[in-house]
PDB file of all heavy atoms in Angstrom:
ATOM      1  N   ASN A 196      11.702 -14.188 -16.922  1.00  0.00           N
ATOM      2  CA  ASN A 196      12.039 -12.857 -16.711  1.00  0.00           C
ATOM      3  C   ASN A 196      11.574 -12.480 -15.249  1.00  0.00           C
ATOM      4  O   ASN A 196      10.385 -12.319 -14.878  1.00  0.00           O
ATOM      5  CB  ASN A 196      11.329 -12.000 -17.749  1.00  0.00           C
ATOM      6  CG  ASN A 196      11.548 -10.390 -17.494  1.00  0.00           C
ATOM      7  OD1 ASN A 196      12.235 -10.089 -16.485  1.00  0.00           O
ATOM      8  ND2 ASN A 196      11.060  -9.673 -18.394  1.00  0.00           N
ATOM      9  N   PRO A 197      12.517 -12.133 -14.319  1.00  0.00           N
ATOM     10  CA  PRO A 197      12.241 -11.916 -12.981  1.00  0.00           C
ATOM     11  C   PRO A 197      11.597 -10.634 -12.799  1.00  0.00           C
ATOM     12  O   PRO A 197      10.987 -10.326 -11.788  1.00  0.00           O
ATOM     13  CB  PRO A 197      13.601 -11.902 -12.368  1.00  0.00           C
ATOM     14  CG  PRO A 197      14.609 -11.775 -13.327  1.00  0.00           C
ATOM     15  CD  PRO A 197      14.037 -12.258 -14.698  1.00  0.00           C
ATOM     16  N   ASP A 198      11.577  -9.663 -13.809  1.00  0.00           N
ATOM     17  CA  ASP A 198      10.992  -8.365 -13.713  1.00  0.00           C
ATOM     18  C   ASP A 198       9.515  -8.352 -14.181  1.00  0.00           C
ATOM     19  O   ASP A 198       8.859  -7.357 -14.099  1.00  0.00           O
ATOM     20  CB  ASP A 198      11.803  -7.431 -14.472  1.00  0.00           C
ATOM     21  CG  ASP A 198      13.210  -7.154 -13.958  1.00  0.00           C
ATOM     22  OD1 ASP A 198      13.408  -7.320 -12.730  1.00  0.00           O
ATOM     23  OD2 ASP A 198      14.145  -7.001 -14.768  1.00  0.00           O
ATOM     24  N   CYS A 199       9.039  -9.569 -14.630  1.00  0.00           N
ATOM     25  CA  CYS A 199       7.650  -9.550 -15.171  1.00  0.00           C
ATOM     26  C   CYS A 199       6.795  -9.348 -13.984  1.00  0.00           C
ATOM     27  O   CYS A 199       6.887  -9.603 -12.853  1.00  0.00           O
ATOM     28  CB  CYS A 199       7.420 -10.860 -16.030  1.00  0.00           C
ATOM     29  SG  CYS A 199       7.037 -12.193 -14.779  1.00  0.00           S
ATOM     30  N   ASP A 200       5.525  -8.776 -14.432  1.00  0.00           N
ATOM     31  CA  ASP A 200       4.394  -8.836 -13.405  1.00  0.00           C
ATOM     32  C   ASP A 200       3.693 -10.117 -13.607  1.00  0.00           C
ATOM     33  O   ASP A 200       3.027 -10.308 -14.674  1.00  0.00           O
ATOM     34  CB  ASP A 200       3.533  -7.655 -13.768  1.00  0.00           C
ATOM     35  CG  ASP A 200       2.336  -7.631 -12.767  1.00  0.00           C
ATOM     36  OD1 ASP A 200       2.152  -8.664 -12.102  1.00  0.00           O
ATOM     37  OD2 ASP A 200       1.481  -6.635 -12.884  1.00  0.00           O
ATOM     38  N   CYS A 201       3.995 -11.054 -12.782  1.00  0.00           N
ATOM     39  CA  CYS A 201       3.468 -12.561 -12.953  1.00  0.00           C
ATOM     40  C   CYS A 201       2.173 -12.756 -12.503  1.00  0.00           C
ATOM     41  O   CYS A 201       1.697 -13.832 -12.430  1.00  0.00           O
ATOM     42  CB  CYS A 201       4.524 -13.471 -12.376  1.00  0.00           C
ATOM     43  SG  CYS A 201       6.113 -13.332 -13.230  1.00  0.00           S
ATOM     44  N   ARG A 202       1.488 -11.739 -11.826  1.00  0.00           N
ATOM     45  CA  ARG A 202       0.009 -11.868 -11.479  1.00  0.00           C
ATOM     46  C   ARG A 202      -0.771 -12.078 -12.631  1.00  0.00           C
ATOM     47  O   ARG A 202      -0.685 -11.537 -13.624  1.00  0.00           O
ATOM     48  CB  ARG A 202      -0.440 -10.730 -10.661  1.00  0.00           C
ATOM     49  CG  ARG A 202       0.352 -10.596  -9.292  1.00  0.00           C
ATOM     50  CD  ARG A 202      -0.023  -9.190  -8.592  1.00  0.00           C
ATOM     51  NE  ARG A 202       0.400  -8.102  -9.421  1.00  0.00           N
ATOM     52  CZ  ARG A 202       0.271  -6.861  -9.150  1.00  0.00           C
ATOM     53  NH1 ARG A 202      -0.467  -6.451  -8.076  1.00  0.00           N
ATOM     54  NH2 ARG A 202       0.622  -5.904  -9.928  1.00  0.00           N
ATOM     55  N   LEU A 203      -1.933 -12.852 -12.367  1.00  0.00           N
ATOM     56  CA  LEU A 203      -2.981 -13.035 -13.462  1.00  0.00           C
ATOM     57  C   LEU A 203      -3.909 -11.786 -13.431  1.00  0.00           C
ATOM     58  O   LEU A 203      -4.288 -11.405 -12.304  1.00  0.00           O
ATOM     59  CB  LEU A 203      -3.748 -14.307 -13.393  1.00  0.00           C
ATOM     60  CG  LEU A 203      -2.945 -15.558 -13.576  1.00  0.00           C
ATOM     61  CD1 LEU A 203      -3.864 -16.764 -13.127  1.00  0.00           C
ATOM     62  CD2 LEU A 203      -2.650 -15.647 -14.961  1.00  0.00           C
ATOM     63  N   ALA A 204      -4.269 -11.318 -14.599  1.00  0.00           N
ATOM     64  CA  ALA A 204      -5.286 -10.240 -14.496  1.00  0.00           C
ATOM     65  C   ALA A 204      -6.651 -10.936 -14.192  1.00  0.00           C
ATOM     66  O   ALA A 204      -6.932 -11.984 -14.489  1.00  0.00           O
ATOM     67  CB  ALA A 204      -5.350  -9.668 -16.001  1.00  0.00           C
ATOM     68  N   GLU A 207      -8.108 -12.785 -17.009  1.00  0.00           N
ATOM     69  CA  GLU A 207      -7.460 -14.101 -17.187  1.00  0.00           C
ATOM     70  C   GLU A 207      -8.043 -15.162 -16.202  1.00  0.00           C
ATOM     71  O   GLU A 207      -8.229 -16.229 -16.619  1.00  0.00           O
ATOM     72  CB  GLU A 207      -5.958 -13.901 -17.008  1.00  0.00           C
ATOM     73  CG  GLU A 207      -5.307 -13.117 -18.235  1.00  0.00           C
ATOM     74  CD  GLU A 207      -3.838 -12.816 -17.916  1.00  0.00           C
ATOM     75  OE1 GLU A 207      -3.453 -12.435 -16.854  1.00  0.00           O
ATOM     76  OE2 GLU A 207      -3.142 -13.036 -18.872  1.00  0.00           O
TER      77      GLU A 207
END
Side-chain angles (χ1 to χ4, degrees):
N196 177 359
D198 297 327
C199 75
D200 180 353
C201 295
R202 290 169 302 176
L203 291 172
E207 292 172 308

